[in-house]
């Protein structure tokens, strides 16, 4: 069915407002609805976007499903007509919004393989307006496959992997532990929405409080993959942990129940094999949210292959596992009893840093009344935060001891 989900639009405009505050508004190009349309051709598709000023842009196609990605620096989508894709048989879905600070993205899902034949940003000198004109030409599947690859830097925030990245010295107790907190979702990816609350906001609030608590101890440095309502790709989250030389990566979520009636806190570590089906469902659900940005990253760690990597993974796996065990222990002490089997593993893409111990904490399930109530209650959050800080403290000591043993 050809609809732009209204909830998504709502979110995008909200996100836009949040992102816009942090940036200078002068650079913003606005959509001119009168000069904006899709036009189906017999063997292709004409896309016209009227803009209040010309902006740098780029355009490319990706497969599975066939998609056209348009990146702009930087567009306010508020004036995009809601029936923008209604007349077109060749575009089945449109998603758009702020993509990363300073950049906007539009993703059009195409009903058939088409590649970019021409793309140009025209300017009207007297008015100073811009007009993006893109012509897509229908091709067969093979041609589409050959000509539809993301540009090298399509992930922008994902640095190319280098072997020396894993040569980083692991912590040995002689310096503060660097913690990267990763509030899940953000921007056009809202995460779970339930009873007027959205996951992306709840986990951001929690991460801000946890960051403060960690810094207050004087024993930790804490950073966040996002401190505002921004979309960040899953590899982008890992990349920012690496950029800060993080010792530990903690992703924070509060998803909706995928199946069954789960409730309570769960700590996840990475596994190739899920420890149960609902854990795997959750992992695939979170990975899919990255599709919102138009780039599917499921095969992206091919380049991370190699013996060195496997060795680092093995060591990191054990360190992550110990961290998760301590989390479960300390959080249970702090908030009372946890659910049975509070430590699970699944193939979460965001936990795949080969060199940084990583865990994902589901703070609860928004679909559970009591969990949601906990999440919005400050005293409950601060109990959980106490537990997390204690767990990190004990982990740091044990981990440093293990590092010394390795060196001997
Ligand atoms: Zn989530």
């Amino acid at each position: 069915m050809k609809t732009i989900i209204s909830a998504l639009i709502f979110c995008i405009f909200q996100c836009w407002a949040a992102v816009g505050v942090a940036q200078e508004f002068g650079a913003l190009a606005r959509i001119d609805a009168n000069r904006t349309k899709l036009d189906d051709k017999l063997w292709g598709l004409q896309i016209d976007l009227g803009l209040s000023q010309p902006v740098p842009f780029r355009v490319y196609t990706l497969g599975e499903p066939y998609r056209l990605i348009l990146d702009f620096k930087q567009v306010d989508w508020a004036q995009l007509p809601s029936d923008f894709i209604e007349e077109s048989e060749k575009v089945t879905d449109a998603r758009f919004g702020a993509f990363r600070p300073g950049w906007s993205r539009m993703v059009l899902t195409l009903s058939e393989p088409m590649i970019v034949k021409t793309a140009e940003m025209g300017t009207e000198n007297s008015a100073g307006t811009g007009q993006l004109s893109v012509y897509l030409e229908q091709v067969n599947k093979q041609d589409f496959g050959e000509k539809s690859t993301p540009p090298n830097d399509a992930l922008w925030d994902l640095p190319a992997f280098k072997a020396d990245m894993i040569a980083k010295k692991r912590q040995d107790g002689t310096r503060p532990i660097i913690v990267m907190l990763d509030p899940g979702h953000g921007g056009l990816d809202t995460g779970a929405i339930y009873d007027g609350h959205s996951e992306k906001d709840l986990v951001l609030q929690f991460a801000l409080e946890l960051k403060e608590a960690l810094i207050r101890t004087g024993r930790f440095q804490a950073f966040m993959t996002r401190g505002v309502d921004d979309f960040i790709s899953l590899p982008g989250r890992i990349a920012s942990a690496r950029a800060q030389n993080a010792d530990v990566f903690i992703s924070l979520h509060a998803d909706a129940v995928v199946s069954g009636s789960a409730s309570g806190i769960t700590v996840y570590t990475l596994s190739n094999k899920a420890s149960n089906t609902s854990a795997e469902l959750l992992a695939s659900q979170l990975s899919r949210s990255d599709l919102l940005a138009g780039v599917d990253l499921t095969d992206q760690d091919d380049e991370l292959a190699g013996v060195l990597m496997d060795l680092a993974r093995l060591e990191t796996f054990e360190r992550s596992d110990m961290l998760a065990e301590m989390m479960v222990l300390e959080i249970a002490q702090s908030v009372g009893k946890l659910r049975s089997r509070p430590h699970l593993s699944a193939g979460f893409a965001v936990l795949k840093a080969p060199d940084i111990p990583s865990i994902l904490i589901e703070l609860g399930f928004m679909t559970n009344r009591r969990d949601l109530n906990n999440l919005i209650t400050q005293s409950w959050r601060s109990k959980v935060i106490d537990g997390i800080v204690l767990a990190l403290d004990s982990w740091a000591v044990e981990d440093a001891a293990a590092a010394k043993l390795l060196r001997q």
Side-chain angles (χ1 to χ4, degrees), residues 94-274:
R95 290 167 188 270
F96 46 86
F99 172 59
R100 54 166 295 184
W103 288 85
S104 309
R105 172 170 282 188
M106 172 180 264
V107 182
L108 298 180
T109 307
L110 310 172
S111 60
E112 52 195 52
M114 292 187 279
I115 55 166
V116 180
K117 179 81 173 164
T118 58
E120 53 188 27
M121 180 74 71
T123 38
E124 219 285 59
N125 283 340
S126 57
T129 57
Q131 183 78 34
L132 178 72
S133 166
V134 178
Y135 187 75
L136 298 184
E137 183 183 51
Q138 194 182 326
V139 291
N140 62 36
K141 277 185 185 170
Q142 195 188 337
D143 281 353
F144 182 88
E146 283 165 11
K147 288 169 182 153
S148 297
T149 44
N152 275 340
D153 61 341
L155 305 175
W156 285 349
D157 42 0
L158 178 66
F161 176 77
K162 291 196 218 86
D164 62 1
M165 281 179 175
I166 57 175
K168 179 174 82 81
K169 191 165 171 282
R170 69 182 261 187
Q171 72 90 16
D172 58 2
T174 56
R175 56 168 175 79
I177 304 290
I178 305 167
V179 181
M180 179 57 77
L181 300 174
D182 174 46
H185 312 279
L188 58 159
D189 170 18
T190 57
I193 293 187
Y194 198 73
D195 205 16
H197 297 279
S198 66
E199 183 188 354
K200 63 173 184 175
D201 295 334
L202 290 179
V203 293
L204 178 60
Q205 176 64 30
F206 187 93
L208 287 165
E209 292 170 12
L210 175 54
K211 180 185 174 188
E212 208 185 296
L214 285 168
I215 292 171
R216 228 176 14 233
T217 64
R219 299 184 297 276
F220 299 96
Q221 285 179 24
F223 299 93
M224 292 163 76
T225 52
R226 66 177 182 97
V228 291
D229 187 11
D230 258 352
F231 179 87
I232 302 177
S233 71
L234 298 178
R237 293 168 191 265
I238 298 175
S240 70
R242 189 166 284 127
Q244 295 292 355
N245 266 321
D247 295 303
V248 176
F249 179 88
I250 301 177
S251 195
L252 298 161
H253 284 261
D255 287 276
V257 173
V258 207
S259 67
S261 57
S263 68
I265 293 178
T266 320
V267 181
Y268 290 90
T269 44
L270 177 67
S271 155
N272 295 327
K273 224 171 116 255

